[in-house]
Structures are given as C-alpha cells and as structure tokens.
Coordinates of all heavy atoms in Angstrom, one line a residue:
M1 N 70.5 25.3 82.3 CA 71.8 24.8 82.6 C 72.0 25.0 84.1 O 71.6 26.0 84.7 CB 72.9 25.6 81.8 CG 74.3 25.2 82.2 SD 75.5 25.8 81.1 CE 75.9 24.3 80.2
R2 N 72.7 24.1 84.7 CA 72.9 24.2 86.2 C 73.8 25.4 86.5 O 74.6 25.9 85.8 CB 73.6 22.9 86.7 CG 74.9 22.7 86.1 CD 75.7 21.5 86.7 NE 77.0 21.3 86.1 CZ 78.0 22.1 86.4 NH1 78.0 23.0 87.2 NH2 79.2 21.9 85.7
A3 N 73.7 25.8 87.8 CA 74.6 26.9 88.3 C 76.0 26.4 88.5 O 76.2 25.3 89.0 CB 74.0 27.4 89.6
H4 N 76.9 27.2 88.1 CA 78.3 26.8 88.2 C 78.7 26.9 89.7 O 78.2 27.8 90.4 CB 79.2 27.7 87.3 CG 79.1 27.5 85.9 ND1 79.7 28.3 85.0 CD2 78.5 26.5 85.2 CE1 79.4 27.9 83.7 NE2 78.7 26.8 83.9
A5 N 79.7 26.2 90.1 CA 80.1 26.2 91.6 C 80.6 27.6 91.9 O 80.4 28.0 93.1 CB 81.2 25.1 91.8
W6 N 81.2 28.3 91.0 CA 81.8 29.6 91.4 C 80.7 30.6 91.9 O 81.0 31.6 92.6 CB 82.7 30.2 90.4 CG 82.0 30.3 89.0 CD1 82.1 29.5 87.9 CD2 81.2 31.5 88.6 NE1 81.4 30.0 86.9 CE2 80.8 31.2 87.3 CE3 80.8 32.7 89.2 CZ2 79.9 32.1 86.5 CZ3 79.9 33.5 88.4 CH2 79.5 33.2 87.2
Q7 N 79.4 30.3 91.5 CA 78.4 31.2 91.9 C 78.1 31.2 93.4 O 77.5 32.1 94.0 CB 77.1 30.9 91.3 CG 77.1 31.2 89.8 CD 75.7 31.5 89.3 OE1 75.1 32.4 89.8 NE2 75.3 30.9 88.2
N8 N 78.6 30.1 94.1 CA 78.5 30.1 95.6 C 79.7 30.8 96.3 O 79.7 31.0 97.5 CB 78.6 28.6 96.1 CG 77.3 27.9 95.6 OD1 76.2 28.4 95.6 ND2 77.5 26.6 95.1
Y9 N 80.6 31.3 95.5 CA 81.8 32.0 96.1 C 81.3 33.3 96.6 O 80.5 34.0 96.1 CB 82.9 32.2 95.1 CG 84.1 32.9 95.6 CD1 85.0 32.3 96.4 CD2 84.3 34.3 95.2 CE1 86.1 33.1 96.9 CE2 85.4 35.0 95.6 CZ 86.3 34.4 96.5 OH 87.3 35.1 97.0
R10 N 81.9 33.7 97.7 CA 81.8 35.1 98.3 C 83.1 35.7 98.5 O 84.1 35.0 98.9 CB 81.0 35.0 99.7 CG 79.7 34.5 99.6 CD 78.7 35.3 98.8 NE 77.4 34.7 98.6 CZ 77.0 34.0 97.6 NH1 77.8 33.7 96.6 NH2 75.7 33.6 97.5
T11 N 83.2 36.9 98.1 CA 84.5 37.7 98.2 C 84.9 37.8 99.7 O 84.1 37.6 100.5 CB 84.4 39.0 97.5 OG1 83.4 39.7 98.2 CG2 84.1 38.9 96.0
K12 N 86.1 38.3 99.9 CA 86.6 38.5 101.3 C 85.6 39.4 102.1 O 85.5 39.3 103.3 CB 88.0 39.1 101.2 CG 89.1 38.2 100.9 CD 90.4 38.9 100.9 CE 91.3 38.5 99.8 NZ 91.7 39.6 99.0
D13 N 85.0 40.3 101.4 CA 84.0 41.2 102.0 C 82.6 40.7 102.0 O 81.6 41.4 102.2 CB 84.2 42.6 101.6 CG 83.8 42.9 100.2 OD1 83.4 41.9 99.5 OD2 83.9 44.0 99.7
G14 N 82.4 39.5 101.5 CA 81.1 38.9 101.5 C 80.2 39.1 100.3 O 79.0 38.9 100.4
T15 N 80.8 39.6 99.3 CA 80.0 40.0 98.1 C 79.7 38.8 97.2 O 80.6 38.0 97.0 CB 80.7 41.1 97.3 OG1 81.0 42.2 98.2 CG2 80.0 41.6 96.1
T16 N 78.5 38.7 96.6 CA 78.2 37.7 95.7 C 78.8 38.0 94.4 O 79.1 39.2 94.1 CB 76.6 37.6 95.5 OG1 76.2 38.8 94.9 CG2 75.9 37.3 96.8
P17 N 79.0 37.0 93.5 CA 79.6 37.2 92.2 C 78.7 38.2 91.4 O 79.3 39.1 90.8 CB 79.5 35.8 91.5 CG 79.7 34.9 92.7 CD 78.9 35.5 93.8
S18 N 77.4 38.2 91.5 CA 76.6 39.1 90.7 C 76.8 40.5 91.2 O 76.9 41.5 90.4 CB 75.1 38.7 90.6 OG 74.6 38.8 91.9
A19 N 76.9 40.7 92.5 CA 77.2 42.0 93.0 C 78.6 42.5 92.7 O 78.9 43.7 92.8 CB 76.9 42.1 94.5
A20 N 79.5 41.5 92.3 CA 80.8 41.9 91.9 C 80.9 42.1 90.4 O 81.9 42.4 89.9 CB 81.8 40.8 92.4
G21 N 79.8 41.9 89.7 CA 79.7 42.3 88.3 C 79.9 41.0 87.4 O 80.1 41.2 86.2
V22 N 79.7 39.8 88.0 CA 79.9 38.6 87.2 C 78.7 37.7 87.3 O 78.3 37.4 88.4 CB 81.2 37.8 87.7 CG1 81.4 36.6 86.7 CG2 82.4 38.7 87.8
E23 N 78.1 37.4 86.2 CA 76.9 36.5 86.2 C 77.1 35.4 85.2 O 77.9 35.4 84.3 CB 75.7 37.4 85.7 CG 75.3 38.4 86.8 CD 74.1 39.2 86.4 OE1 74.3 40.2 85.7 OE2 73.1 38.8 86.8
Q24 N 76.3 34.3 85.4 CA 76.4 33.2 84.6 C 75.1 33.3 83.6 O 74.0 33.5 84.0 CB 76.3 31.9 85.3 CG 76.3 30.7 84.5 CD 76.0 29.4 85.2 OE1 76.1 29.3 86.5 NE2 75.7 28.4 84.5
L25 N 75.4 33.1 82.3 CA 74.3 33.0 81.3 C 74.6 31.7 80.6 O 75.4 31.7 79.7 CB 74.3 34.3 80.5 CG 73.1 34.5 79.6 CD1 71.8 34.7 80.5 CD2 73.3 35.7 78.8
G26 N 73.9 30.7 80.9 CA 74.2 29.3 80.3 C 75.6 28.9 80.6 O 76.0 28.9 81.8
D27 N 76.4 28.7 79.6 CA 77.7 28.3 79.8 C 78.7 29.5 79.7 O 79.9 29.3 79.6 CB 78.1 27.1 78.8 CG 78.2 27.6 77.4 OD1 77.8 28.8 77.1 OD2 78.7 26.9 76.6
M28 N 78.1 30.7 79.7 CA 78.9 31.9 79.5 C 79.0 32.7 80.8 O 78.1 32.8 81.6 CB 78.2 32.8 78.4 CG 78.9 34.1 78.1 SD 78.4 34.9 76.6 CE 76.6 35.2 77.0
L29 N 80.1 33.3 81.0 CA 80.3 34.2 82.1 C 80.3 35.6 81.6 O 81.0 36.0 80.6 CB 81.8 33.8 82.6 CG 82.2 34.3 83.9 CD1 83.3 33.3 84.5 CD2 82.8 35.7 83.9
V30 N 79.3 36.4 82.2 CA 79.1 37.7 81.7 C 79.7 38.7 82.7 O 79.4 38.7 83.8 CB 77.6 38.0 81.5 CG1 77.3 39.4 81.1 CG2 76.9 37.1 80.6
V31 N 80.5 39.6 82.2 CA 81.2 40.6 83.1 C 80.7 42.0 82.8 O 80.8 42.4 81.6 CB 82.7 40.6 82.9 CG1 83.4 41.6 83.8 CG2 83.2 39.2 83.2
N32 N 80.1 42.6 83.8 CA 79.6 44.0 83.6 C 79.7 44.7 84.9 O 78.8 44.5 85.8 CB 78.2 44.1 83.0 CG 77.8 45.5 82.6 OD1 78.5 46.4 82.9 ND2 76.6 45.5 81.9
V33 N 80.7 45.5 85.1 CA 80.8 46.2 86.4 C 80.3 47.7 86.3 O 80.3 48.3 87.3 CB 82.3 46.3 86.8 CG1 82.8 44.9 87.2 CG2 83.2 46.9 85.8
A34 N 79.9 48.1 85.1 CA 79.3 49.4 85.0 C 78.0 49.4 84.1 O 78.1 49.9 83.0 CB 80.3 50.4 84.4
P35 N 77.0 48.7 84.6 CA 75.8 48.6 83.8 C 75.0 49.9 83.4 O 74.3 49.9 82.4 CB 74.9 47.6 84.6 CG 75.4 47.7 85.9 CD 76.8 48.1 85.9
G36 N 75.2 50.9 84.2 CA 74.5 52.2 83.9 C 75.2 52.9 82.8 O 76.4 53.0 82.7
C37 N 74.3 53.3 81.8 CA 74.9 54.0 80.6 C 74.6 55.5 80.7 O 73.4 55.9 80.9 CB 74.2 53.4 79.4 SG 74.5 54.2 77.8
E38 N 75.6 56.3 80.5 CA 75.4 57.7 80.6 C 74.5 58.3 79.5 O 73.9 59.3 79.6 CB 76.8 58.5 80.5 CG 77.7 58.1 81.6 CD 77.3 58.7 82.9 OE1 76.5 59.7 83.0 OE2 77.7 58.2 84.0
Y39 N 74.4 57.5 78.3 CA 73.6 58.0 77.2 C 72.1 57.7 77.5 O 71.3 58.3 76.8 CB 74.0 57.3 75.9 CG 75.4 57.5 75.5 CD1 76.3 56.5 75.5 CD2 75.8 58.8 75.1 CE1 77.6 56.7 75.0 CE2 77.1 59.0 74.6 CZ 78.0 58.0 74.7 OH 79.2 58.2 74.2
F40 N 71.8 56.9 78.4 CA 70.5 56.3 78.5 C 69.4 57.3 78.9 O 68.3 57.2 78.2 CB 70.5 55.2 79.5 CG 69.5 54.1 79.2 CD1 69.8 53.1 78.3 CD2 68.2 54.2 79.7 CE1 68.9 52.2 77.9 CE2 67.3 53.2 79.3 CZ 67.6 52.1 78.4
T41 N 69.7 58.2 79.8 CA 68.6 59.1 80.1 C 68.8 60.6 79.6 O 67.9 61.4 79.8 CB 68.5 59.2 81.7 OG1 69.8 59.6 82.1 CG2 68.1 57.9 82.3
V42 N 69.9 60.9 78.9 CA 70.2 62.2 78.4 C 69.3 62.4 77.2 O 69.2 61.6 76.3 CB 71.7 62.3 78.1 CG1 71.9 63.8 77.5 CG2 72.5 62.1 79.3
R43 N 68.8 63.6 77.1 CA 67.9 64.0 75.9 C 68.4 65.2 75.3 O 69.0 66.1 76.0 CB 66.4 64.1 76.4 CG 65.9 62.8 76.8 CD 64.4 62.9 77.2 NE 64.0 61.6 77.7 CZ 63.5 60.6 76.9 NH1 63.5 60.8 75.6 NH2 63.1 59.5 77.3
D44 N 68.2 65.4 74.0 CA 68.5 66.6 73.4 C 67.4 67.6 73.6 O 66.4 67.4 74.2 CB 68.8 66.4 71.8 CG 67.6 65.9 71.1 OD1 66.5 66.1 71.6 OD2 67.8 65.5 70.0
D45 N 67.5 68.9 73.0 CA 66.5 69.9 73.3 C 65.1 69.5 72.8 O 64.1 70.0 73.3 CB 67.0 71.2 72.6 CG 68.2 71.8 73.2 OD1 68.5 71.4 74.4 OD2 68.8 72.6 72.6
A46 N 65.1 68.6 71.8 CA 63.8 68.2 71.2 C 63.2 67.0 72.0 O 62.1 66.5 71.7 CB 63.9 67.8 69.8
G47 N 63.9 66.5 73.0 CA 63.4 65.5 73.9 C 63.8 64.1 73.4 O 63.4 63.0 74.0
H48 N 64.7 64.0 72.3 CA 65.1 62.7 71.9 C 66.2 62.1 72.7 O 67.2 62.9 73.0 CB 65.5 62.8 70.4 CG 64.5 63.3 69.5 ND1 64.6 64.4 68.7 CD2 63.2 62.8 69.3 CE1 63.5 64.6 68.1 NE2 62.7 63.7 68.3
S49 N 66.1 60.9 73.1 CA 67.1 60.3 73.9 C 68.4 60.0 73.1 O 68.4 59.8 71.9 CB 66.6 58.9 74.4 OG 67.7 58.2 75.1
F50 N 69.5 60.2 73.8 CA 70.8 59.8 73.2 C 71.2 58.4 73.2 O 72.2 58.0 72.7 CB 71.9 60.6 73.9 CG 72.1 62.1 73.5 CD1 71.5 63.0 74.1 CD2 72.9 62.3 72.3 CE1 71.6 64.4 73.8 CE2 72.9 63.7 72.0 CZ 72.3 64.7 72.6
R51 N 70.3 57.6 73.8 CA 70.7 56.2 73.9 C 70.6 55.5 72.6 O 69.8 55.9 71.7 CB 69.8 55.5 74.9 CG 68.4 55.1 74.4 CD 67.6 54.4 75.4 NE 66.5 53.7 74.8 CZ 65.4 53.4 75.4 NH1 65.2 53.6 76.7 NH2 64.5 52.7 74.8
C52 N 71.3 54.4 72.4 CA 71.2 53.7 71.1 C 69.8 53.2 70.9 O 69.2 52.7 71.9 CB 72.2 52.5 71.2 SG 73.9 53.1 71.5
S53 N 69.4 53.3 69.7 CA 67.9 53.0 69.5 C 67.5 51.6 69.7 O 66.4 51.3 70.0 CB 67.6 53.3 68.0 OG 68.3 52.6 67.1
F54 N 68.5 50.6 69.7 CA 68.1 49.2 69.9 C 68.2 48.8 71.4 O 67.9 47.7 71.7 CB 69.0 48.3 69.1 CG 70.5 48.6 69.4 CD1 71.2 48.0 70.4 CD2 71.2 49.4 68.5 CE1 72.5 48.3 70.7 CE2 72.6 49.6 68.7 CZ 73.2 49.1 69.8
C55 N 68.6 49.7 72.2 CA 69.0 49.3 73.6 C 67.9 49.4 74.6 O 67.3 50.5 74.8 CB 70.3 50.0 74.0 SG 70.9 49.5 75.6
G56 N 67.7 48.4 75.4 CA 66.9 48.5 76.5 C 67.6 48.2 77.8 O 67.0 47.8 78.8
Y57 N 68.9 48.2 77.8 CA 69.7 47.6 78.8 C 70.3 48.6 79.8 O 70.4 48.2 81.0 CB 70.9 46.8 78.1 CG 71.7 46.0 79.1 CD1 71.2 44.9 79.6 CD2 73.0 46.4 79.3 CE1 71.9 44.2 80.5 CE2 73.8 45.7 80.2 CZ 73.2 44.5 80.8 OH 74.0 43.9 81.7
G58 N 70.8 49.7 79.4 CA 71.7 50.4 80.2 C 71.2 51.4 81.2 O 71.9 52.4 81.6
R59 N 70.0 51.2 81.7 CA 69.4 52.1 82.7 C 70.2 52.1 84.0 O 70.7 51.0 84.4 CB 68.0 51.5 83.0 CG 66.9 52.4 83.1 CD 65.6 51.8 83.2 NE 64.8 51.9 82.1 CZ 64.5 51.0 81.2 NH1 64.9 49.8 81.4 NH2 63.8 51.2 80.1
F60 N 70.3 53.2 84.7 CA 70.9 53.2 86.0 C 69.8 52.7 86.9 O 68.7 53.2 87.0 CB 71.3 54.6 86.4 CG 72.6 55.0 86.1 CD1 72.8 55.6 84.8 CD2 73.7 54.9 86.9 CE1 74.1 56.0 84.4 CE2 75.0 55.3 86.5 CZ 75.2 55.8 85.3
D61 N 70.1 51.6 87.5 CA 69.1 51.0 88.4 C 69.7 50.2 89.6 O 70.9 50.5 89.9 CB 68.3 49.9 87.6 CG 69.1 48.8 86.9 OD1 70.3 48.7 87.3 OD2 68.6 48.2 86.1
K62 N 69.0 49.3 90.2 CA 69.5 48.6 91.4 C 70.9 47.9 91.1 O 71.8 47.9 91.9 CB 68.5 47.5 91.8 CG 68.7 47.1 93.2 CD 67.4 46.4 93.7 CE 67.3 46.1 95.1 NZ 68.3 45.4 95.7
R63 N 71.0 47.4 89.9 CA 72.4 46.7 89.5 C 73.5 47.7 89.6 O 74.6 47.4 90.2 CB 72.4 46.2 88.1 CG 71.5 44.9 87.9 CD 71.5 44.6 86.4 NE 71.2 45.8 85.6 CZ 71.7 46.0 84.4 NH1 72.6 45.2 83.9 NH2 71.4 47.1 83.7
S64 N 73.3 48.9 89.0 CA 74.4 49.9 89.0 C 74.7 50.4 90.4 O 75.8 50.6 90.9 CB 74.1 51.0 88.1 OG 72.8 51.3 88.0
Q65 N 73.6 50.5 91.2 CA 73.7 51.0 92.6 C 74.5 50.0 93.4 O 75.3 50.3 94.2 CB 72.3 51.2 93.2 CG 71.6 52.5 92.7 CD 70.1 52.5 93.0 OE1 69.7 51.7 93.8 NE2 69.4 53.4 92.5
T66 N 74.1 48.7 93.2 CA 74.8 47.7 94.0 C 76.3 47.7 93.9 O 77.1 47.4 94.7 CB 74.2 46.3 93.6 OG1 72.8 46.2 93.8 CG2 75.0 45.1 94.2
M67 N 76.7 48.1 92.6 CA 78.1 48.1 92.3 C 78.7 49.5 92.6 O 79.9 49.7 92.3 CB 78.4 47.6 90.9 CG 78.2 46.1 90.8 SD 78.4 45.6 89.1 CE 76.7 45.2 88.8
G68 N 77.9 50.4 93.2 CA 78.5 51.6 93.6 C 78.7 52.6 92.4 O 79.4 53.6 92.5
Q69 N 78.1 52.3 91.3 CA 78.3 53.2 90.1 C 77.5 54.5 90.3 O 76.3 54.4 90.7 CB 77.7 52.5 88.8 CG 78.2 53.2 87.6 CD 77.6 52.5 86.3 OE1 76.8 51.5 86.4 NE2 78.1 53.0 85.2
V70 N 78.1 55.6 90.0 CA 77.5 56.9 90.2 C 77.5 57.6 88.8 O 78.4 57.7 88.1 CB 78.4 57.7 91.2 CG1 77.8 59.1 91.3 CG2 78.6 57.1 92.5
R71 N 76.2 58.1 88.5 CA 76.1 58.7 87.2 C 77.0 59.9 87.2 O 77.2 60.7 88.1 CB 74.6 59.2 87.2 CG 74.1 59.5 85.9 CD 72.8 60.2 85.9 NE 71.8 59.4 86.6 CZ 70.8 58.7 86.0 NH1 70.6 58.7 84.7 NH2 70.0 57.9 86.8
G72 N 77.7 60.1 86.0 CA 78.5 61.2 85.7 C 80.0 61.0 86.2 O 80.8 61.7 86.0
Q73 N 80.2 59.8 86.9 CA 81.5 59.6 87.5 C 82.1 58.4 86.7 O 81.5 57.2 86.9 CB 81.3 59.3 89.0 CG 82.7 59.2 89.7 CD 82.5 58.9 91.2 OE1 81.8 59.7 91.9 NE2 83.0 57.8 91.6
V74 N 83.1 58.6 86.0 CA 83.6 57.5 85.1 C 84.4 56.5 85.8 O 84.3 55.3 85.6 CB 84.4 58.2 83.9 CG1 85.1 57.1 83.1 CG2 83.5 59.0 83.0
D75 N 85.3 57.0 86.8 CA 86.2 56.1 87.5 C 85.3 55.1 88.3 O 84.4 55.5 89.1 CB 87.2 56.9 88.4 CG 88.2 57.6 87.5 OD1 88.3 57.2 86.3 OD2 88.7 58.6 88.0
L76 N 85.8 53.8 88.4 CA 85.1 52.9 89.2 C 85.8 52.7 90.5 O 87.1 52.9 90.6 CB 85.1 51.6 88.5 CG 84.3 51.5 87.2 CD1 84.5 50.2 86.4 CD2 82.8 51.8 87.4
D77 N 85.1 52.3 91.5 CA 85.7 52.1 92.9 C 86.7 51.0 92.8 O 86.5 49.9 92.2 CB 84.5 51.7 93.7 CG 84.9 51.5 95.2 OD1 86.1 51.7 95.5 OD2 84.0 51.2 96.0
A78 N 87.9 51.3 93.3 CA 89.0 50.3 93.4 C 88.6 49.0 94.0 O 89.0 47.9 93.6 CB 90.3 50.8 94.0
A79 N 87.7 49.0 95.0 CA 87.3 47.9 95.8 C 86.4 47.0 94.8 O 86.5 45.8 94.8 CB 86.4 48.3 97.0
L80 N 85.7 47.6 93.9 CA 84.9 46.9 93.0 C 85.8 46.1 92.1 O 85.5 44.9 91.8 CB 84.0 47.9 92.1 CG 83.3 47.3 90.9 CD1 82.2 46.4 91.4 CD2 82.7 48.4 90.1
L81 N 86.9 46.7 91.6 CA 87.8 46.0 90.7 C 88.5 44.8 91.4 O 88.7 43.8 90.9 CB 88.7 47.0 90.1 CG 88.1 48.1 89.3 CD1 89.2 49.0 88.7 CD2 87.3 47.5 88.1
G82 N 88.7 45.1 92.7 CA 89.3 44.0 93.5 C 88.4 42.7 93.6 O 88.8 41.6 93.5
R83 N 87.1 43.1 93.9 CA 86.1 41.9 94.0 C 86.0 41.2 92.7 O 85.9 40.0 92.6 CB 84.8 42.5 94.4 CG 84.7 43.0 95.9 CD 83.3 43.3 96.3 NE 82.7 44.5 95.7 CZ 82.8 45.7 96.2 NH1 83.4 45.9 97.4 NH2 82.2 46.7 95.6
L84 N 86.0 42.0 91.6 CA 85.9 41.4 90.3 C 87.0 40.4 90.0 O 86.8 39.3 89.6 CB 85.9 42.5 89.2 CG 85.9 42.1 87.8 CD1 84.6 41.3 87.4 CD2 86.1 43.3 86.8
E85 N 88.3 40.9 90.4 CA 89.4 40.0 90.1 C 89.3 38.7 91.0 O 89.5 37.6 90.5 CB 90.7 40.7 90.6 CG 91.9 39.9 90.3 CD 93.2 40.5 90.8 OE1 93.2 41.7 91.3 OE2 94.2 39.8 90.7
E86 N 88.8 38.9 92.2 CA 88.6 37.7 93.1 C 87.7 36.6 92.4 O 88.0 35.5 92.4 CB 88.0 38.1 94.4 CG 88.9 38.3 95.6 CD 88.2 38.6 96.9 OE1 87.7 37.5 97.4 OE2 88.1 39.7 97.3
V87 N 86.5 37.2 92.0 CA 85.6 36.3 91.4 C 86.0 35.6 90.1 O 85.9 34.4 89.9 CB 84.2 37.0 91.1 CG1 83.2 36.1 90.4 CG2 83.6 37.4 92.5
L88 N 86.7 36.4 89.3 CA 87.1 35.9 88.0 C 88.2 34.9 88.2 O 88.3 33.8 87.5 CB 87.7 37.0 87.1 CG 86.6 38.0 86.5 CD1 87.2 39.1 85.7 CD2 85.5 37.2 85.8
R89 N 89.0 35.1 89.2 CA 90.1 34.0 89.5 C 89.4 32.7 89.9 O 89.8 31.6 89.4 CB 90.9 34.6 90.6 CG 92.3 33.8 90.8 CD 93.2 34.5 91.8 NE 93.5 35.8 91.5 CZ 94.6 36.1 90.6 NH1 95.3 35.1 90.1 NH2 94.9 37.4 90.3
V90 N 88.5 32.7 90.8 CA 87.8 31.5 91.2 C 87.0 30.9 90.1 O 87.1 29.7 89.9 CB 86.8 31.8 92.4 CG1 86.0 30.6 92.7 CG2 87.6 32.2 93.6
A91 N 86.3 31.7 89.3 CA 85.6 31.2 88.1 C 86.5 30.5 87.1 O 86.2 29.4 86.5 CB 84.8 32.3 87.5
A92 N 87.7 31.2 86.9 CA 88.6 30.6 85.9 C 89.2 29.2 86.4 O 89.4 28.3 85.6 CB 89.7 31.6 85.7
E93 N 89.5 29.2 87.7 CA 90.0 28.0 88.3 C 89.0 26.8 88.2 O 89.4 25.7 88.2 CB 90.5 28.2 89.7 CG 91.8 29.0 89.8 CD 92.1 29.5 91.2 OE1 91.3 29.3 92.1 OE2 93.2 30.2 91.3
S94 N 87.7 27.2 88.3 CA 86.7 26.1 88.2 C 86.6 25.5 86.9 O 86.2 24.3 86.7 CB 85.3 26.7 88.7 OG 84.7 27.3 87.6
G95 N 86.9 26.3 85.8 CA 86.9 25.7 84.4 C 85.6 25.5 83.9 O 85.4 24.8 82.9
E96 N 84.5 25.9 84.6 CA 83.2 25.6 84.1 C 82.7 26.5 83.0 O 81.9 26.0 82.1 CB 82.2 25.8 85.3 CG 82.5 24.7 86.4 CD 81.7 25.1 87.7 OE1 82.0 26.2 88.2 OE2 80.9 24.3 88.1
A97 N 83.1 27.7 83.0 CA 82.6 28.6 81.9 C 83.3 28.3 80.6 O 84.5 28.1 80.6 CB 82.8 30.0 82.3
R98 N 82.5 28.3 79.5 CA 83.1 28.0 78.2 C 83.6 29.3 77.5 O 84.4 29.2 76.6 CB 82.1 27.3 77.4 CG 81.4 26.1 78.0 CD 82.2 24.9 78.1 NE 82.4 24.3 76.8 CZ 83.0 23.2 76.6 NH1 83.8 22.6 77.6 NH2 83.1 22.7 75.4
H99 N 83.0 30.4 77.8 CA 83.4 31.6 77.3 C 83.0 32.8 78.0 O 82.1 32.7 79.0 CB 82.9 31.7 75.7 CG 81.5 31.4 75.5 ND1 80.7 32.1 74.7 CD2 80.7 30.5 76.1 CE1 79.5 31.5 74.7 NE2 79.5 30.6 75.5
V100 N 83.6 34.0 77.8 CA 83.3 35.1 78.6 C 82.7 36.2 77.7 O 83.2 36.5 76.6 CB 84.6 35.7 79.2 CG1 84.4 37.0 80.0 CG2 85.3 34.6 80.1
Ligands
SF4_1 S1 74.0 50.1 73.6 FE1 72.8 50.8 75.3 S2 74.2 50.6 77.1 FE2 75.4 50.6 75.2 S3 76.0 52.8 74.8 FE3 74.1 52.3 73.7 S4 72.5 53.0 75.0 FE4 74.3 52.7 76.2

C-alpha cells in the first residue's frame, strides 16, 4: 500500500512521524510512544524472563531511545506527547488511515 501523505509531515521541531510514535501499517495507523517493555529483560532468580511468552516486541532498542524512553521511568516526556498530538492531528485531517 502506498505511503500516506501525513508521513511526509515534520513536527515543529523537525521530528518524523515514526520518531513521534506514529507509523503506517497498510491502511492502519499504529501509535506506540513507549515501545520498551519493563518486563522484557527482567528475570526471576531462576533466570526465567518476566516477559509475556508470545512476545518478541518490547525490547528497549533504538525505537525507544529515539522517543526518549528511559528504562524504569514511567512518565513520558511532555515534548513527546506534544509531537504525538501534532502528527495525529495531521493524520486525522488527511483522512487516509482507516483505523488506529
Ligand atoms: S506483550 Fe510484550 S510488550 Fe506487552 S507486556 Fe508482554 S512482554 Fe511486554
């Protein structure tokens, strides 16, 4: 599926939609501003991971770093939420995404 026009949008501080936590997946708009999962790397005394057994997703990685997510810190940066609002407003106005 073609890229939606809102993907060319840059926030006031020059951030791309994906760095603001919004991506396009087909005709769907995916929002994830905190991709790192606190359960993902924690292990019990026997070495078993606390992460959900089906999940290969929630690693703290470049995505979470890009969004300024810090392990162990639940509150998100207010600037991140501002960028998210900017992108979602533009995406909604474009009317291209069929669902979120
Ligand atoms: S599904 Fe994955 S990302 Fe979600 S809580 Fe479980 S381990 Fe974390």
Side-chain angles (χ1 to χ4, degrees):
M1 175 168 255
R2 67 175 176 75
H4 290 172
W6 56 263
Q7 290 210 53
N8 294 322
Y9 178 74
R10 297 296 176 265
T11 61
K12 284 182 226 124
D13 65 0
T15 303
T16 63
S18 64
V22 186
E23 293 180 274
Q24 180 188 344
L25 194 61
D27 66 351
M28 179 167 61
L29 194 154
V30 179
V31 179
N32 188 353
V33 290
C37 169
E38 296 292 339
Y39 298 115
F40 210 84
T41 55
V42 178
R43 294 182 181 277
D44 65 16
D45 292 341
H48 301 118
S49 173
F50 277 97
R51 79 181 199 200
C52 302
S53 58
F54 54 82
C55 183
Y57 185 73
R59 225 171 251 111
F60 273 85
D61 59 12
K62 201 163 186 308
R63 287 174 311 146
S64 36
Q65 288 166 9
T66 299
M67 285 176 252
Q69 190 182 10
V70 177
R71 197 186 306 252
Q73 186 179 305
V74 175
D75 290 339
L76 298 173
D77 185 357
L80 173 68
L81 298 177
R83 289 191 290 267
L84 175 63
E85 183 185 354
E86 266 188 72
V87 173
L88 290 179
R89 194 173 297 280
V90 170
E93 284 169 1
S94 84
E96 294 167 297
R98 310 284 287 179
H99 46 143
V100 178

